[in-house]
Amino acid sequence: MIQNFSRLGDQTRAVHAGEFPDPVTGASSPNLVMSTTFAVGADTTFSAEGLGGDDPFIYTRWGNPTIRQLEEKLAVLEEAETAVAFASGMSAATALLLHTLKAGDQAVLSDVTYAAVAEAANELFPGLGIGIVKVDTSDTEALAAAVNPGVKLVYIETPCNPLLRLTDIRAAADIAHRAGARLAVDSTFATPIATRPLELGADFVVHSLTKYIGGHGDALGGVLLGRNEDLAPLRKKTSIRLGGTLSPFNAWLIMRGLATLPLRMKAHEQSALKTARWLETNPGVTKVIYPGLPSYPQHDLAKRQMKNFSGMISFQTADGKETARRLAEKLRIIHYAVSLGHHRSLVFYLHSEELLATSFKFTSQKQLDSWKAFAGDGIFRLSVGLEDADDIIADLEQALKGEKNGKTKN
Ligand SMILES: *Cc1c(COP(=O)(O)O)cnc(C)c1O
């Protein structure tokens, strides 16, 4: 069994971290332990309040051997002291917000985030007396102006869903810490293969395991990573009580997917770059946003902050709604569906008017202008899967055929 992963590569870590041959049977593959309860001694605590770090397993909402193996694998890959797994990415995000913020507290959030996070900030948290200010965190000056000394938490998403706009993590960490706040980074689009936010000064990392980390579109999950001193109390005081526990079966599936993450990310990046370059040459496509393209507005920051440009592309056409209808009807390989990071390619149209009205609800013209500069009336979010890039491109080509020539029209 490997004790120290610090000098080993990502792929070795992904395969072996958190795993060991079963001491009873010698099984090489991790056990799936579905038991919700564990036979214990008479001196066992009945409240999670009395739970110590080294206590045996008692009840699966408090801890489970299969979930713990996944948490260890994730912590090793992210180079975090510890990890707490959740039933979904949203469950991880809300547990972090509810643990760190109390009535009267202030937080600063990226104005473009995963839609459900934006909606929770609009509707759930104000009702609890928690003030959440949204700013375009890609604008370091705007972020610095928003993070006043009363702010407890800065929560960013980079690259953000669905714009693929980046926030400079190191700058955000400096701004947060100078004001006495903590920095949380939703790194779902980047994965630990592209970016390690903790190394850049972040205090917490959030991932939806449902996306690249699980990688196969068959299990919801989420995780928080960071320091022991932060996450041990978060587990005991908040996560166990909120109860968004990951199913051990999902933990087992996600662990199996995670074992090939570094290899998959290389393939996602390679095919996404090829597809993005092809989209740039397609006359029906008016704009392509991919951090790996030289035309990408934050390409220098992307090169500095991302070791892998990931597999997400956003693009626009002249008439997005019409193109969406055509893609949903004509695509054969790519699924017209939400979600991302799977081995299957997925595409979905995000109409600006609808998204701004339901999820983002910008309060300033500047935020709206920044959105429009990236997304216009709407964008297609394309998650480039693991099919052959030439087949993905051919599928897009046949479905986009007859597309109005946006470039001459504009
Ligand atoms: C999907 C996603 C989430 C939410 O994750 P779930 O597992 O669906 O709850 C959060 N952040 C980002 C960036 C996502 O893409």
Side-chain angles (χ1 to χ4, degrees):
M1 184 181 159
I2 301 166
Q3 300 289 350
N4 181 356
F5 285 90
S6 64
R7 284 215 287 268
L8 299 174
D10 281 348
Q11 192 49 62
T12 308
R13 294 177 187 210
V15 170
H16 287 284
E19 298 195 14
F20 44 83
D22 178 69
V24 177
T25 64
S28 160
S29 161
N31 287 331
L32 167 54
V33 179
M34 288 300 288
S35 188
T36 57
T37 194
F38 297 82
V40 292
D43 55 352
T44 305
T45 172
F46 187 65
S47 162
E49 192 70 44
L51 198 61
D54 298 328
D55 278 352
F57 294 106
I58 300 167
Y59 186 57
T60 279
R61 179 157 45 73
W62 303 8
N64 167 284
T66 308
I67 299 171
R68 181 161 300 170
Q69 286 189 268
L70 171 66
E71 288 171 339
E72 282 179 18
K73 199 187 274 297
L74 286 161
V76 166
L77 272 165
E78 195 72 59
E79 300 195 355
E81 279 179 23
T82 194
V84 182
F86 292 85
S88 68
M90 276 313 296
S91 168
T94 51
L96 175 64
L97 292 165
L98 288 169
H99 183 75
T100 45
L101 302 169
K102 307 287 169 239
D105 286 344
Q106 294 278 335
V108 169
L109 174 72
S110 295
D111 63 352
V112 178
T113 57
Y114 183 70
V117 172
E119 290 160 13
N122 295 343
E123 289 169 27
L124 178 62
F125 289 96
L128 301 173
I130 295 164
I132 300 192
V133 176
K134 294 196 201 169
V135 290
D136 174 0
T137 56
S138 73
D139 177 347
T140 305
E141 280 173 25
L143 178 61
V147 183
N148 57 53
V151 169
K152 268 197 145 166
L153 182 73
V154 176
Y155 189 106
I156 63 173
E157 190 173 301
T158 179
C160 74
N161 187 357
L163 279 193
L164 302 179
R165 200 169 59 188
L166 305 185
T167 295
D168 185 330
I169 297 171
R170 207 181 273 285
D174 287 346
I175 290 167
H177 294 158
R178 244 182 280 134
R182 321 298 299 281
L183 177 70
V185 179
D186 182 333
S187 192
T188 298
F189 275 37
T191 81
I193 306 310
T195 307
R196 304 232 164 105
L198 299 173
E199 265 175 26
L200 300 174
D203 301 289
F204 300 99
V205 175
V206 184
H207 287 290
S208 167
L209 303 175
T210 317
K211 315 294 172 53
Y212 285 105
I213 289 178
H216 296 76
D218 50 15
L220 286 174
V223 71
L224 288 178
L225 299 120
R227 295 181 198 91
N228 264 321
E229 65 183 59
D230 295 320
L231 291 182
L234 186 148
R235 184 193 292 277
K236 205 151 100 169
K237 300 273 180 198
T238 303
S239 141
I240 288 175
R241 292 170 183 169
L242 288 178
T245 311
L246 182 65
S247 155
F249 182 47
N250 282 7
W252 188 85
L253 284 171
I254 292 164
M255 193 160 26
R256 177 184 170 128
L258 179 49
T260 55
L261 180 70
L263 283 170
R264 286 188 286 108
M265 291 310 290
K266 276 186 206 154
H268 282 299
E269 180 190 47
Q270 211 173 21
S271 295
L273 190 57
K274 194 167 183 182
T275 305
R277 287 195 177 123
W278 176 82
L279 282 166
E280 278 198 316
T281 67
N282 186 295
V285 174
T286 51
K287 187 179 214 165
V288 183
I289 304 170
Y290 180 66
L293 287 176
S295 62
Y296 176 73
Q298 296 168 292
H299 189 53
D300 285 343
L301 175 59
K303 280 192 286 192
R304 209 162 65 233
Q305 195 163 281
M306 301 180 77
K307 276 194 278 184
N308 173 300
F309 296 122
S310 194
M312 299 305 299
I313 301 173
S314 290
F315 66 92
Q316 278 173 260
T317 62
D319 183 350
K321 281 188 165 170
E322 175 50 33
T323 309
R325 260 193 294 278
R326 188 169 317 152
L327 293 184
E329 203 174 291
K330 292 171 76 176
L331 286 170
R332 296 184 195 117
I333 291 172
I334 302 167
H335 288 183
Y336 187 87
V338 297
S339 204
L340 57 110
H342 305 169
H343 58 328
R344 292 176 204 89
S345 291
L346 305 169
V347 72
F348 199 78
Y349 183 58
L350 298 135
H351 187 230
S352 290
E353 206 178 295
E354 187 188 314
L355 210 55
L356 297 178
T358 55
S359 303
F360 297 137
K361 303 189 176 173
F362 294 146
T363 48
S364 83
Q365 187 62 35
K366 206 164 156 231
Q367 290 174 326
L368 190 62
D369 291 344
S370 174
W371 168 275
K372 291 264 175 184
F374 263 82
D377 293 337
I379 43 175
F380 290 89
R381 184 183 65 191
L382 172 62
S383 172
V384 177
L386 299 177
E387 305 92 338
D388 294 288
D390 290 341
D391 294 334
I392 294 169
I393 290 169
D395 199 28
L396 284 168
E397 186 165 31
Q398 63 82 18
L400 286 170
K401 206 169 271 170
E403 197 62 45
K404 263 188 259 158
N405 190 328
K407 286 196 181 99
T408 55
K409 198 171 156 263
N410 282 353

